[in-house]
Amino acid sequence: DAGVTQSPTHLIKTRGQQVTLRCSPKSGHDTVSWYQQALGQGPQFIFQYYEEEERQRGNFPDRFSGHQFPNYSSELNVNALLLGDSALYLCASSLNAGTGVSGNEKLFFGSGTQLSVL
Amino acid sequence: DQQVKQNSPSLSVQEGRISILNCDYTNSMFDYFLWYKKYPAEGPTFLISISSIKDKNEDGRFTVFLNKSAKHLSLHIVPSQPGDSAVYFCAASAPANFGNEKLTFGTGTRLTIIP
């Protein structure tokens, strides 16, 4: 049973470019969340996708956008890259079973994509 | 505005002894707290959680204590083992729209277990 897979594992871009990161959730999961982890910091919530819609968003500018596909996989897009966007981008998946119970303890993280902006 | 704080960036503990990792929070709306463990080149993995209606939750060698009045929680690992060496993140969530909770993480504590 494959866990959460992210691609690519590493990426180098220059300022002003655009980047797309990809995530496949754990089998059976339908919800995908994206987090940014800067060096020496904890992960910061970017947004969450469920039923192909953005359901909640953290404090990130519109340059950060996403998409969820019918097969539950997801993409994170960042436009007009800044040096400060250099970070580890983590994807996490969970099952939103609709029971009202927090799914966060069943949040499974991928190994992340390390983005370097030069 | 750091709503979840882990003031100790690193901690070294002798194998077999107790490891105590601390976490403070400022947002009184947080009602669910979690600890994640992270090895290098891997994503964080869930360790243990506690609801705000409890003050203690235990799972094997891991126990989490919550002091709501002090807005403080701690993770106890007894006995500590070399495989426990990792970065530990404290995280919290607040009630949101149904099924739409997000996690707020601390900056992490690097735990090193000395054989």
Side-chain angles (χ1 to χ4, degrees):
Chain A
D1 175 26
V4 180
T5 57
Q6 292 186 242
S7 62
T9 54
H10 295 82
L11 202 51
I12 300 175
K13 291 285 188 178
T14 57
R15 277 182 301 173
Q17 284 189 312
Q18 178 264 345
V19 68
T20 297
L21 311 181
R22 296 176 176 82
C23 172
S24 292
K26 181 178 168 60
S27 177
H29 284 185
D30 59 5
T31 303
V32 173
S33 302
W34 286 93
Y35 286 80
Q36 179 197 66
Q37 186 181 6
L39 193 62
Q41 301 297 314
Q44 276 198 296
F45 178 81
I46 304 175
F47 41 53
Q48 181 184 74
Y49 277 84
Y50 172 66
E51 291 187 335
E52 302 179 47
E53 289 187 3
E54 182 183 293
R55 301 299 287 251
Q56 196 168 7
R57 189 179 183 92
N59 193 20
F60 279 81
D62 291 345
R63 297 187 299 108
F64 289 77
S65 63
H67 189 75
Q68 186 179 34
F69 299 93
N71 67 353
Y72 308 120
S73 66
S74 176
E75 288 182 350
L76 164 65
N77 300 293
V78 186
N79 293 324
L81 284 167
L82 304 175
L83 297 179
D85 295 331
S86 295
L88 179 68
Y89 288 85
L90 294 163
C91 171
S93 73
S94 57
L95 177 61
N96 188 329
T99 63
V101 176
S102 170
N104 285 323
E105 62 187 56
K106 299 301 183 188
L107 203 60
F108 287 81
F109 283 86
S111 299
T113 294
Q114 184 66 54
L115 173 64
S116 298
V117 182
L118 306 178
Chain B
D1 176 28
Q2 193 74 27
Q3 297 185 59
V4 177
K5 301 176 186 178
Q6 294 176 258
N7 293 319
S8 298
S10 63
L11 176 67
S12 294
V13 174
Q14 207 77 29
E15 181 179 359
R17 296 291 193 94
I18 182 172
S19 295
I20 300 177
L21 294 89
N22 294 303
C23 177
D24 298 294
Y25 62 96
T26 57
N27 188 343
S28 57
M29 296 299 292
F30 288 146
D31 69 342
Y32 204 77
F33 304 89
L34 309 92
W35 285 93
Y36 279 82
K37 176 179 178 179
K38 187 179 186 301
Y39 293 119
E42 294 183 12
T45 54
F46 170 75
L47 196 57
I48 192 169
S49 62
I50 188 167
S51 164
S52 60
I53 63 173
K54 296 185 176 181
D55 53 19
K56 176 182 175 181
N57 188 27
E58 192 171 353
D59 183 3
R61 296 187 298 113
F62 303 92
T63 304
V64 56
F65 295 92
L66 175 62
N67 183 334
K68 279 193 303 182
S69 60
K71 293 191 174 67
H72 177 84
L73 63 155
S74 61
L75 173 68
H76 292 209
I77 306 174
V78 181
S80 299
Q81 300 174 354
D84 296 330
S85 295
V87 177
Y88 288 78
F89 289 100
C90 171
S93 68
N97 292 335
F98 176 73
N100 290 340
E101 301 90 344
K102 68 178 186 182
L103 293 181
T104 301
F105 283 84
T107 53
T109 295
R110 181 177 301 278
L111 175 64
T112 302
I113 305 302
I114 305 164

